[in-house]
Amino acid sequence: MNKNRPEKVYFFGTCLIDMSYPEAGMAGIRLIQREGVKVIFPPDQSCCGQPAYNSGFPEEAKAVARKQIEIFNKDYPIVVPSGSCAGMMKHHYPKLFENDPDIKRVRAFSSRIYELTEFLVHVLKIKLADKGEPVTAAWHSSCHAAREMKVIEDSKSLIRQLKNVRLKELENEHQCCGFGGTFSIKHPDISSAMVKDKIEDIKNTGASIVLSGDCGCLMNITGAMDYHKISIKGQHIAQFIWERINGE
């Protein structure tokens, strides 16, 4: 990992942030800007290609990936507020292009990918001063953030900097919430049972809010909690941190 602080970075917004959680994306951008780094958001960016890749359409996924590689073409770090999309771009793009003449270019692109909390901790070495009221928060680890990007301790270390936040670990933290992108659509009964277990785990912590670095997981968990009338809030870690350090 290149730990030198850059003057500029790219920000990859992700589809779910674009469509449903724009405040999380803006919080991520502001956390980087707060450290004096210019954030570039290419307006033509789109999906990371994961839906096509996971559904068995590698050529379609390559077409989407190639577009992102063309757009994020300068040698700046690319910060992604999602372990899932970051994992796709960092680890699966090189597999997609393994026998392609552009493989060197793809590997260079993938080497510039950082998950947001990884970037805040290891590159910017961000320091946080908590201005919020005392709260107990549970943390949900997305599968890709934990197993591909391996950034969960980075996320938790940021939460632990917030003096008025009591972080409660889930008993089955590494168990999937049942979202899995297209998995939840193809296997709704299994997905529903998995998120029910996840919610019980969250309830058992006594937390009033559950945090995650992936909006897909948050959408799945908070949607199920709303359905079952469980009053636990869900929030992306970037938005949570931004509100805490600004006393919002």
Side-chain angles (χ1 to χ4, degrees):
M1 179 188 298
N2 182 356
K3 297 182 180 179
N4 295 326
R5 176 182 288 243
E7 294 182 358
K8 301 176 183 177
V9 300
Y10 282 127
F11 197 84
F12 182 83
T14 85
C15 300
L16 286 179
I17 279 182
D18 182 39
M19 292 185 291
S20 302
Y21 295 88
E23 63 282 1
M26 288 307 303
I29 290 172
R30 288 169 178 146
L31 285 169
I32 298 169
Q33 290 175 327
R34 173 179 176 266
E35 300 300 307
V37 177
K38 183 176 181 180
V39 178
I40 301 169
F41 187 91
D44 293 336
Q45 62 180 281
S46 62
C47 175
C48 67
Q50 192 171 178
Y53 183 69
N54 289 350
S55 298
F57 297 97
E59 292 306 314
E60 287 79 359
K62 280 182 71 173
V64 176
R66 198 181 296 279
K67 181 69 174 176
Q68 309 319 310
I69 293 166
E70 290 172 357
I71 292 171
F72 295 84
N73 55 9
K74 295 189 182 302
D75 190 26
Y76 306 143
I78 305 167
V79 183
V80 186
S82 160
S84 179
C85 299
M88 175 68 191
M89 300 167 88
K90 190 174 189 69
H91 297 291
H92 296 288
Y93 277 16
K95 295 177 184 176
L96 272 175
F97 288 84
E98 189 172 10
N99 299 313
D100 191 284
D102 283 339
I103 183 60
K104 286 186 178 179
R105 185 182 179 204
V106 173
R107 286 174 178 159
F109 171 90
S110 295
S111 72
R112 294 188 282 123
I113 297 292
Y114 293 85
E115 188 273 345
L116 174 63
T117 62
E118 172 191 24
F119 188 77
L120 295 175
V121 171
H122 294 287
V123 180
L124 299 185
K125 297 177 173 53
I126 191 170
K127 301 300 179 187
L128 305 174
D130 191 4
K131 297 180 181 177
E133 297 294 321
V135 67
T136 298
W139 170 260
H140 167 69
S141 299
S142 82
C143 298
H144 295 86
R147 300 182 179 103
E148 287 185 341
M149 296 303 291
K150 304 184 189 305
V151 295
I152 298 309
E153 286 308 313
D154 297 333
S155 300
K156 290 181 180 178
S157 73
L158 292 173
I159 298 171
R160 291 188 181 109
Q161 285 193 41
L162 302 169
K163 65 179 182 180
N164 289 329
V165 179
R166 183 184 182 199
L167 176 62
K168 294 286 288 186
E169 310 278 355
L170 296 184
E171 183 175 349
N172 298 307
E173 177 178 327
H174 297 291
Q175 183 172 306
C176 176
C177 72
F179 178 61
T182 56
F183 174 83
S184 62
I185 298 171
K186 293 177 180 176
H187 306 284
D189 292 340
I190 299 173
S191 174
S192 178
M194 292 172 74
V195 77
K196 187 176 180 182
D197 288 346
K198 180 63 66 175
I199 291 172
E200 282 302 310
D201 203 354
I202 295 169
K203 285 172 59 181
N204 289 338
T205 66
S208 60
I209 186 169
V210 58
L211 306 174
S212 182
D214 275 84
C215 292
C217 300
L218 283 173
M219 181 178 290
N220 191 41
I221 293 169
T222 58
M225 289 197 298
D226 286 345
Y227 179 80
H228 293 289
K229 303 187 185 309
I230 297 169
S231 58
I232 299 175
K233 183 181 178 181
Q235 200 168 37
H236 190 279
I237 185 173
Q239 186 183 359
F240 179 75
I241 291 174
W242 181 255
E243 291 182 0
R244 298 292 305 188
I245 64 176
N246 287 284
E248 296 177 3

Short mmCIF file of all heavy atoms in Angstrom, two decimals, residues 16-30 215 234-236 238-240 242-243:
data_model
loop_
_atom_site.label_atom_id
_atom_site.label_comp_id
_atom_site.label_asym_id
_atom_site.label_seq_id
_atom_site.Cartn_x
_atom_site.Cartn_y
_atom_site.Cartn_z
N LEU A 16 -25.46 2.34 -5.42
CA LEU A 16 -26.42 2.49 -4.33
C LEU A 16 -26.29 3.85 -3.66
O LEU A 16 -27.29 4.43 -3.23
CB LEU A 16 -26.24 1.37 -3.29
CG LEU A 16 -26.77 0.02 -3.73
CD1 LEU A 16 -26.53 -1.03 -2.65
CD2 LEU A 16 -28.26 0.08 -4.05
N ILE A 17 -25.08 4.37 -3.56
CA ILE A 17 -24.92 5.72 -3.01
C ILE A 17 -25.54 6.73 -3.97
O ILE A 17 -26.23 7.66 -3.55
CB ILE A 17 -23.44 6.02 -2.74
CG1 ILE A 17 -23.04 5.38 -1.40
CG2 ILE A 17 -23.15 7.52 -2.75
CD1 ILE A 17 -21.62 5.64 -0.97
N ASP A 18 -25.32 6.55 -5.24
CA ASP A 18 -25.88 7.46 -6.24
C ASP A 18 -27.40 7.47 -6.18
O ASP A 18 -28.04 8.53 -6.21
CB ASP A 18 -25.39 7.04 -7.63
CG ASP A 18 -25.90 7.97 -8.71
OD1 ASP A 18 -25.96 9.18 -8.48
OD2 ASP A 18 -26.26 7.47 -9.80
N MET A 19 -28.00 6.28 -6.05
CA MET A 19 -29.45 6.19 -6.14
C MET A 19 -30.17 6.37 -4.80
O MET A 19 -31.27 6.90 -4.74
CB MET A 19 -29.84 4.82 -6.73
CG MET A 19 -29.45 4.64 -8.19
SD MET A 19 -30.05 3.09 -8.89
CE MET A 19 -29.04 1.90 -8.00
N SER A 20 -29.54 5.88 -3.70
CA SER A 20 -30.29 5.82 -2.43
C SER A 20 -29.59 6.45 -1.23
O SER A 20 -30.25 6.76 -0.24
CB SER A 20 -30.60 4.34 -2.11
OG SER A 20 -31.33 3.75 -3.14
N TYR A 21 -28.26 6.57 -1.26
CA TYR A 21 -27.54 7.07 -0.08
C TYR A 21 -26.57 8.19 -0.44
O TYR A 21 -25.37 8.13 -0.12
CB TYR A 21 -26.77 5.93 0.60
CG TYR A 21 -27.62 4.83 1.18
CD1 TYR A 21 -28.01 3.75 0.41
CD2 TYR A 21 -28.02 4.87 2.52
CE1 TYR A 21 -28.79 2.73 0.95
CE2 TYR A 21 -28.80 3.86 3.07
CZ TYR A 21 -29.18 2.79 2.28
OH TYR A 21 -29.95 1.78 2.83
N PRO A 22 -27.03 9.23 -1.13
CA PRO A 22 -26.09 10.29 -1.55
C PRO A 22 -25.41 10.98 -0.37
O PRO A 22 -24.27 11.44 -0.49
CB PRO A 22 -27.00 11.26 -2.33
CG PRO A 22 -28.38 11.00 -1.83
CD PRO A 22 -28.41 9.53 -1.53
N GLU A 23 -26.11 11.06 0.78
CA GLU A 23 -25.53 11.72 1.94
C GLU A 23 -24.28 10.97 2.44
O GLU A 23 -23.36 11.58 2.97
CB GLU A 23 -26.57 11.84 3.07
CG GLU A 23 -27.08 10.54 3.64
CD GLU A 23 -28.12 9.83 2.79
OE1 GLU A 23 -28.48 10.30 1.69
OE2 GLU A 23 -28.58 8.77 3.22
N ALA A 24 -24.26 9.65 2.27
CA ALA A 24 -23.09 8.86 2.67
C ALA A 24 -21.91 9.17 1.75
O ALA A 24 -20.76 9.30 2.20
CB ALA A 24 -23.42 7.37 2.62
N GLY A 25 -22.19 9.31 0.46
CA GLY A 25 -21.13 9.65 -0.48
C GLY A 25 -20.56 11.03 -0.21
O GLY A 25 -19.34 11.23 -0.21
N MET A 26 -21.44 11.99 0.05
CA MET A 26 -20.97 13.35 0.34
C MET A 26 -20.16 13.38 1.63
O MET A 26 -19.17 14.11 1.73
CB MET A 26 -22.16 14.30 0.43
CG MET A 26 -22.84 14.60 -0.90
SD MET A 26 -21.70 15.18 -2.18
CE MET A 26 -20.96 16.60 -1.41
N ALA A 27 -20.56 12.59 2.61
CA ALA A 27 -19.80 12.54 3.85
C ALA A 27 -18.40 11.99 3.60
O ALA A 27 -17.41 12.49 4.15
CB ALA A 27 -20.54 11.69 4.88
N GLY A 28 -18.31 10.96 2.79
CA GLY A 28 -16.99 10.40 2.45
C GLY A 28 -16.11 11.42 1.76
O GLY A 28 -14.92 11.56 2.07
N ILE A 29 -16.69 12.15 0.81
CA ILE A 29 -15.94 13.20 0.10
C ILE A 29 -15.48 14.28 1.08
O ILE A 29 -14.32 14.72 1.05
CB ILE A 29 -16.81 13.81 -1.02
CG1 ILE A 29 -17.00 12.78 -2.15
CG2 ILE A 29 -16.21 15.10 -1.55
CD1 ILE A 29 -17.99 13.20 -3.20
N ARG A 30 -16.36 14.70 1.97
CA ARG A 30 -16.01 15.78 2.92
C ARG A 30 -14.94 15.34 3.91
O ARG A 30 -14.10 16.14 4.32
CB ARG A 30 -17.28 16.23 3.65
CG ARG A 30 -18.23 17.02 2.77
CD ARG A 30 -19.57 17.24 3.42
NE ARG A 30 -20.44 18.04 2.57
CZ ARG A 30 -21.76 17.88 2.50
NH1 ARG A 30 -22.36 16.96 3.24
NH2 ARG A 30 -22.48 18.64 1.69
N CYS A 215 -23.59 0.02 1.54
CA CYS A 215 -25.01 0.41 1.49
C CYS A 215 -25.93 -0.74 1.13
O CYS A 215 -27.11 -0.73 1.51
CB CYS A 215 -25.18 1.55 0.50
SG CYS A 215 -24.40 3.09 1.04
N GLY A 234 -30.02 2.56 10.91
CA GLY A 234 -28.86 2.07 10.16
C GLY A 234 -28.20 3.23 9.45
O GLY A 234 -28.89 4.13 8.94
N GLN A 235 -26.88 3.24 9.41
CA GLN A 235 -26.19 4.37 8.78
C GLN A 235 -24.82 3.93 8.24
O GLN A 235 -24.13 3.10 8.86
CB GLN A 235 -26.00 5.50 9.80
CG GLN A 235 -25.74 6.85 9.19
CD GLN A 235 -25.85 7.97 10.21
OE1 GLN A 235 -25.46 7.83 11.37
NE2 GLN A 235 -26.38 9.11 9.80
N HIS A 236 -24.44 4.53 7.11
CA HIS A 236 -23.10 4.29 6.57
C HIS A 236 -22.07 4.95 7.49
O HIS A 236 -22.31 6.06 8.01
CB HIS A 236 -23.00 4.89 5.17
CG HIS A 236 -21.75 4.50 4.43
ND1 HIS A 236 -20.55 5.13 4.65
CD2 HIS A 236 -21.52 3.54 3.50
CE1 HIS A 236 -19.64 4.59 3.86
NE2 HIS A 236 -20.19 3.61 3.15
N ALA A 238 -19.38 6.55 7.00
CA ALA A 238 -18.89 7.88 6.62
C ALA A 238 -19.84 8.96 7.11
O ALA A 238 -19.41 9.99 7.66
CB ALA A 238 -18.73 7.97 5.10
N GLN A 239 -21.13 8.76 6.91
CA GLN A 239 -22.11 9.75 7.35
C GLN A 239 -22.14 9.84 8.87
O GLN A 239 -22.25 10.93 9.44
CB GLN A 239 -23.49 9.38 6.83
CG GLN A 239 -24.55 10.44 7.12
CD GLN A 239 -25.92 10.05 6.65
OE1 GLN A 239 -26.12 8.97 6.08
NE2 GLN A 239 -26.89 10.91 6.89
N PHE A 240 -22.03 8.69 9.54
CA PHE A 240 -22.02 8.67 11.01
C PHE A 240 -20.85 9.47 11.55
O PHE A 240 -21.01 10.32 12.43
CB PHE A 240 -21.94 7.22 11.48
CG PHE A 240 -21.91 7.06 12.98
CD1 PHE A 240 -23.06 7.24 13.74
CD2 PHE A 240 -20.74 6.70 13.63
CE1 PHE A 240 -23.04 7.09 15.12
CE2 PHE A 240 -20.70 6.54 15.00
CZ PHE A 240 -21.86 6.74 15.75
N TRP A 242 -19.06 11.78 10.01
CA TRP A 242 -19.17 13.20 9.65
C TRP A 242 -20.12 13.92 10.60
O TRP A 242 -19.84 15.04 11.05
CB TRP A 242 -19.65 13.36 8.21
CG TRP A 242 -19.74 14.79 7.81
CD1 TRP A 242 -20.88 15.55 7.66
CD2 TRP A 242 -18.65 15.68 7.54
NE1 TRP A 242 -20.56 16.83 7.32
CE2 TRP A 242 -19.20 16.94 7.23
CE3 TRP A 242 -17.26 15.52 7.52
CZ2 TRP A 242 -18.40 18.05 6.92
CZ3 TRP A 242 -16.47 16.62 7.21
CH2 TRP A 242 -17.03 17.86 6.91
N GLU A 243 -21.24 13.31 10.91
CA GLU A 243 -22.21 13.94 11.83
C GLU A 243 -21.63 14.04 13.24
O GLU A 243 -21.84 15.04 13.93
CB GLU A 243 -23.51 13.14 11.82
CG GLU A 243 -24.26 13.24 10.50
CD GLU A 243 -25.58 12.49 10.50
OE1 GLU A 243 -25.92 11.87 11.54
OE2 GLU A 243 -26.26 12.49 9.46
#
